[in-house]
Amino acid sequence: MGKRSSNLKLLFIVNPGSGNNEIDFAEAIRTYFESKNSDFEIYELFKGCSLDKLRSVITQAKADRVVAVGGDGTLKLVAECLEGTDTPIGIIPAGSANGMAKELGIPLEVDAALELVVNGHPKKIHAVKVNGELCIHLADIGFNAYIVKKFDDLPQRGMWGYTKAAWKALWNHSKMEVEIKIKDKTIRTQAAMVVIANATMYGTGVKINPDGNLTDDLFEVILVKEYSVMEILKIRFTDLPFNPEKIETFSTRDLKIKTKRKVHFQVDGEYMGKVNRVEANILPAAITVIV
């Protein structure tokens, strides 16, 4: 038997820069636990907080559960610190993109998410190592990574900011020449983007990868050959099926991509710069999450 939930020690890693700043999450957590005799600690991330610093905070806390309060980027940071351990990770969705929370069916409402952190059950899921980075959600090269870069540069967030970034990217992005190696197959093609998908959907809730499963030992590679405005809008705003002439999907345990020119690259919503090689492989049962 595990410890009774009221005796759990919880460590909350709060990213104050996440989302739209409408809710003070540290305050919401304190309020929730006011009448409960729970042992909890809150650590607020500061800009440029290093992995080593966060690791030592987590090690010192000796918590039973570590909770990421933020978007996919915050979760990635906490997951990197706990990769390969059995310490379960809780999620309080507080970012502009909460793809992984949606994926795992975690409520977006704060108190309901806190309830789950305390009473939910640990479940092991796999991740993907992409160019040495831990990817728990989605990584890609090309068009979407370029949007992520443009979106990061914009003062406004939300749908309008996204649409503006997408529009800029649409006008300025040219196709990539890619060589993709999957198992014993080599595919040479032009592509608008190539997605490495551990999960099934983008943060907007759109399924780019309907075949995805967080507990099988495969990840999907989605090759988007053509980008028309319609397909891009479909990816973000609808659950309409893709045009198969424009989009192909493969399942694999490892992958190598080479591109002729350097291309934009992002992992879990974080822009990583330009690359001309990508290597990815599956990390089975890499992290434990509370669901």
Side-chain angles (χ1 to χ4, degrees), residues 203-274:
T204 48
V206 171
K207 291 214 168 185
I208 181 140
N209 175 27
D211 308 328
N213 178 345
L214 288 168
T215 52
D216 65 1
D217 55 359
L218 296 165
F219 61 91
E220 278 69 41
V221 183
I222 296 121
L223 172 60
V224 183
K225 288 182 271 193
E226 287 289 332
Y227 54 89
S228 62
V229 176
M230 280 318 296
E231 296 294 312
I232 296 299
L233 293 176
K234 267 188 204 174
I235 288 176
R236 301 308 285 216
F237 303 126
T238 75
D239 47 15
L240 295 170
F242 298 115
N243 176 343
E245 282 164 27
K246 296 181 178 175
I247 297 189
E248 269 186 88
T249 304
F250 310 89
S251 293
T252 183
R253 293 176 62 90
D254 45 60
L255 161 80
K256 284 191 169 101
I257 304 174
K258 276 199 286 202
T259 61
K260 202 167 175 182
R261 294 196 316 271
K262 286 203 159 186
V263 295
H264 299 284
F265 171 49
Q266 70 89 18
V267 179
D268 286 344
E270 234 170 286
Y271 183 70
M272 296 287 175
K274 288 179 120 179

Side-chain angles (χ1 to χ4, degrees), residues 58-99:
I58 289 173
T59 310
Q60 278 165 6
K62 295 188 171 59
D64 299 301
R65 297 181 168 187
V66 179
V67 187
V69 185
D72 290 329
T74 310
L75 178 57
K76 176 183 187 308
L77 207 56
V78 172
E80 280 173 334
C81 294
L82 291 168
E83 182 193 335
T85 71
D86 285 328
T87 305
I89 302 168
I91 303 169
I92 305 292
S96 45
N98 303 301

Side-chain angles (χ1 to χ4, degrees), residues 72-73 76 96-98 137-158 161-170 173 192-195 201-204 232 235-236 263-274:
D72 290 329
K76 176 183 187 308
S96 45
N98 303 301
H137 194 232
L138 296 162
D140 51 50
I141 56 168
F143 188 83
N144 187 61
Y146 188 49
I147 294 178
V148 169
K149 179 188 190 315
K150 288 269 165 247
F151 190 56
D152 282 351
D153 297 344
L154 283 172
Q156 78 267 56
R157 293 284 177 172
Y162 177 81
T163 311
K164 269 177 87 165
W167 194 246
K168 272 187 181 156
L170 203 58
H173 189 264
M193 66 189 222
V194 183
V195 185
M201 55 184 148
Y202 275 107
T204 48
I232 296 299
I235 288 176
R236 301 308 285 216
V263 295
H264 299 284
F265 171 49
Q266 70 89 18
V267 179
D268 286 344
E270 234 170 286
Y271 183 70
M272 296 287 175
K274 288 179 120 179

Side-chain angles (χ1 to χ4, degrees), residues 19-44:
N20 51 15
N21 302 325
E22 279 170 22
I23 300 173
D24 179 340
F25 282 92
E27 193 50 44
I29 293 162
R30 288 189 192 99
T31 307
Y32 176 85
F33 286 112
E34 240 167 21
S35 56
K36 303 171 176 61
N37 60 352
S38 288
D39 186 2
F40 73 95
E41 199 179 311
I42 295 173
Y43 179 77
E44 295 214 0

